[in-house]
Amino acid sequence: MSSLTLQLFRQPKTAILLVLGFASGLPLALTSGTLQAWMTVENIDLKTIGFFSLVGQAYVFKFLWSPMMDRFTPPFLGRRRGWLFITQLFLLCGIAAMGFLDPVSHLRWMAALAVLIAFCSASQDIVFDAWKTDVLPTEERGTGAAVSVLGYRLAMLVSGGLALWLADKYLGWQATYWLMAALLIPCMIATLLAPEPDDATPAPRSLEDAVLSPLRDFFGRNNAWLILLLIVLYKLGDAFAMSLSTTFLIRGVGFSAGEVGVVNKTLGLFATIVGALYGGILMQRLSLFRALLIFGILQGASNAGYWLLSITDKHMLSMAGAVFFENLCGGMGTAAFVALLMTLCNRSFSATQFALLSALSAVGRVYVGPVAGWFVQEHGWPTFYLFSVAAAVPGIFLLLLCRRTLAYTQRTNKFLLRTEFTSAYRIALRILTIGCLFLAFWLITVILKALTPISWAASDYLLLAGALCALTGILTGSVLDYLALRRTSLL
């Protein structure tokens, strides 16, 4: 390990990144897997447990309120640390309050607290992502991303597997939630000790400016539409491979749930952490483009391990090898990908832009599930995992197209402005906006269907229209980007 890397990992800023990454990951399981386990033990019906999963939508739609955190500055600690401290304080109170409740007697109150915790957790993610984007110089972003991923994964282990074990064997559910709330106290201390980003980059002057300026800034850049596609597709192969990995190992290969759980929860987590840290170390020596290219190729190649499992005899060592290699490469890719998102953010509204880009990056992970299930039924596991390897290729191709603009941004911390096809780009953006509005109305109808017995027949049509318009807008903008790159000799 180089002396530069050792120095970076010894800096106080790195310890703060680790603790704040831990704070970011801690609440997630407490409103999802761990809470579901508590309600299952208390014999709450499956329909109610399934309804509780809707609280996770806060993480998908956090970009809707992220402009507020770019625009307004709390009266203490500054624009980033102030919001971090406020969200952590509400999280501590919300998680502790949940420990005073019982799912059988206080289900409505528990639902309200779960929504509050998810909202505050998503808000904390917004500010933490903005803080590390603002405070980390270009050469430290790979390491910073790796350290924050390490803290996040450790927190998921503590609030997931460890919390279940403590609740079952020693503390009970309520005391376990109190303990999880207490773990936020060191995180709040880390927030107080964290450096506040300098004020050289001003905050937006109005809420309208905070909402519209990040969009104008991003879509005014050369190559913006191809970058959007790159964000969606870069980890698509990884998303396909992981979408049904547990089902594949149990039903497709024949391992027991206990065997899969041990390997995924221990070896898989360890491999992800090692991959993220090693990826951060390598990024000290590689440019952002080269890191994304190498790690992207490794991500796609690692899916071949599951393909080998699908065509060979069942063996514990072969499963462990496939899981380890896939998680190792996925962790390396995640470190580079987070560094890419930080590089693409303008520091004036990094909270809004990072929230938008990270939400966009979740599209593949969230929506490949139904496609993956259909594909396996029609073509079988071996073909599915070969397809997951091929699904990584478009992201690599887009990365090659964007090479020069990414290199310019990393080298100068500035963005190349778009100069070609102004009117055509405006049309593409309007088509995308219409698609987003259709999808927003579709989401409203889904919520209303869950809350009322009324049948909303237009729901499926809204989803189809929104998806088609959004896809048309993105493809139109991407074609214009390609033509603009050729015209300006940046291809």
Side-chain angles (χ1 to χ4, degrees):
M1 191 181 296
S2 68
S3 59
L4 175 61
T5 302
L6 285 171
Q7 182 182 355
L8 285 172
F9 276 101
R10 289 170 181 167
Q11 287 181 354
K13 190 191 302 180
T14 303
I16 291 171
L17 266 171
L18 181 68
V19 177
L20 292 181
F22 184 90
S24 180
L26 187 72
L28 181 61
L30 298 178
T31 56
S32 55
T34 302
L35 182 59
Q36 287 178 16
W38 187 2
M39 291 192 292
T40 302
V41 169
E42 297 293 339
N43 294 316
I44 303 298
D45 64 274
L46 287 176
K47 183 179 179 181
T48 302
I49 294 175
F51 185 77
F52 265 72
S53 65
L54 289 176
V55 301
Q57 295 297 308
Y59 297 96
V60 178
F61 294 100
K62 61 186 179 182
F63 63 88
L64 293 176
W65 62 91
S66 57
M68 304 280 290
M69 296 178 157
D70 267 332
R71 168 64 183 95
F72 299 108
T73 302
F76 53 89
L77 297 179
R79 183 161 59 131
R80 301 307 185 203
R81 291 191 306 150
W83 281 119
L84 266 178
F85 192 85
I86 291 170
T87 55
Q88 289 167 353
L89 181 62
F90 274 97
L91 282 170
L92 188 151
C93 296
I95 294 170
M98 191 170 280
F100 289 97
L101 302 180
D102 174 14
V104 176
S105 307
H106 311 100
L107 192 60
R108 290 184 181 274
W109 281 106
M110 187 163 277
L113 280 176
V115 170
L116 172 67
I117 293 169
F119 175 79
C120 293
S121 177
S123 302
Q124 179 188 220
D125 289 352
I126 292 170
V127 191
F128 175 52
D129 291 333
W131 176 82
K132 64 187 179 187
T133 299
D134 294 348
V135 83
L136 290 173
T138 302
E139 65 274 8
E140 295 182 21
R141 283 175 175 167
T143 305
V147 172
S148 63
V149 169
L150 171 60
Y152 190 90
R153 294 287 182 173
L154 289 174
M156 290 182 66
L157 178 64
V158 169
S159 62
L162 181 61
L164 291 178
W165 180 72
L166 289 173
D168 183 48
K169 298 293 184 181
Y170 295 103
L171 300 179
W173 292 103
Q174 293 177 321
T176 298
Y177 269 74
W178 293 333
L179 175 62
M180 295 297 114
L183 291 177
L184 282 167
I185 295 175
C187 303
M188 297 171 71
I189 295 173
T191 298
L192 296 174
L193 297 175
E196 177 70 11
D198 61 69
D199 295 328
T201 306
R205 290 171 294 180
S206 65
L207 187 57
E208 180 183 1
D209 191 31
V211 173
L212 297 180
S213 292
L215 298 176
R216 291 195 193 104
D217 172 81
F218 187 84
F219 284 103
R221 301 175 193 173
N222 200 344
N223 223 22
W225 294 84
L226 287 176
I227 290 288
L228 287 181
L229 269 183
L230 172 63
I231 290 169
V232 173
L233 297 178
Y234 181 74
K235 291 185 75 68
L236 186 64
D238 197 45
F240 264 105
M242 295 305 293
S243 63
L244 294 174
S245 60
T246 302
T247 303
F248 164 66
L249 293 174
I250 295 174
R251 190 177 299 174
V253 185
F255 291 103
S256 69
E259 291 171 332
V260 173
V262 168
V263 171
N264 273 335
K265 292 296 183 182
T266 56
L267 189 63
L269 178 66
F270 175 73
T272 301
I273 291 172
V274 171
L277 289 177
Y278 189 57
I281 293 170
L282 289 179
M283 288 184 70
Q284 296 298 316
R285 304 175 183 176
L286 301 172
S287 67
L288 178 61
F289 167 79
R290 290 184 66 190
L292 287 166
L293 180 62
I294 294 171
F295 300 164
I297 293 172
L298 287 174
Q299 274 183 163
S302 68
N303 295 344
Y306 289 108
W307 171 73
L308 285 173
L309 277 180
S310 69
I311 61 172
T312 56
D313 293 334
K314 181 180 76 170
H315 197 285
M316 193 70 173
L317 286 179
S318 61
M319 176 180 72
V323 169
F324 182 85
F325 187 50
E326 198 282 330
N327 281 275
L328 179 75
C329 297
M332 295 168 71
T334 298
F337 189 70
V338 173
L340 169 66
L341 296 187
M342 286 192 280
T343 301
L344 294 174
C345 291
N346 186 321
R347 292 180 63 183
S348 294
F349 10 78
S350 52
T352 301
Q353 287 186 340
F354 201 108
L356 280 166
L357 295 175
S358 60
L360 191 64
S361 70
V363 168
R365 185 179 71 251
V366 172
Y367 297 110
V368 298
V371 178
W374 168 83
F375 196 104
V376 171
Q377 283 190 334
E378 294 294 323
H379 303 287
W381 292 108
T383 307
F384 170 73
Y385 278 108
L386 279 179
F387 176 78
S388 74
V389 175
V393 174
I396 303 298
F397 176 71
L398 286 167
L399 182 64
L400 294 171
L401 290 180
C402 300
R403 176 177 185 173
R404 290 194 178 182
T405 47
L406 287 177
Y408 175 85
T409 299
Q410 187 183 25
R411 186 175 66 252
T412 64
N413 277 326
K414 297 178 182 178
F415 306 102
L416 286 168
L417 297 181
R418 189 178 65 233
T419 58
E420 309 292 331
F421 308 119
T422 303
S423 300
Y425 273 117
R426 194 177 298 120
I427 293 172
L429 187 58
R430 286 174 181 170
I431 296 173
L432 176 62
T433 303
I434 292 171
C436 291
L437 289 174
F438 276 126
L439 291 173
F441 285 126
W442 167 76
L443 179 64
I444 293 171
T445 62
V446 170
I447 295 173
L448 291 176
K449 284 172 68 175
L451 296 175
T452 65
I454 302 174
S455 176
W456 298 83
S459 177
D460 293 339
Y461 295 106
L462 287 172
L463 175 61
L464 181 61
L468 287 175
C469 286
L471 185 61
T472 301
I474 291 175
L475 290 178
T476 303
S478 300
V479 171
L480 292 171
D481 268 353
Y482 178 79
L483 296 175
L485 286 176
R486 286 180 63 93
R487 182 176 287 189
T488 55
S489 301
L490 283 172
L491 192 62

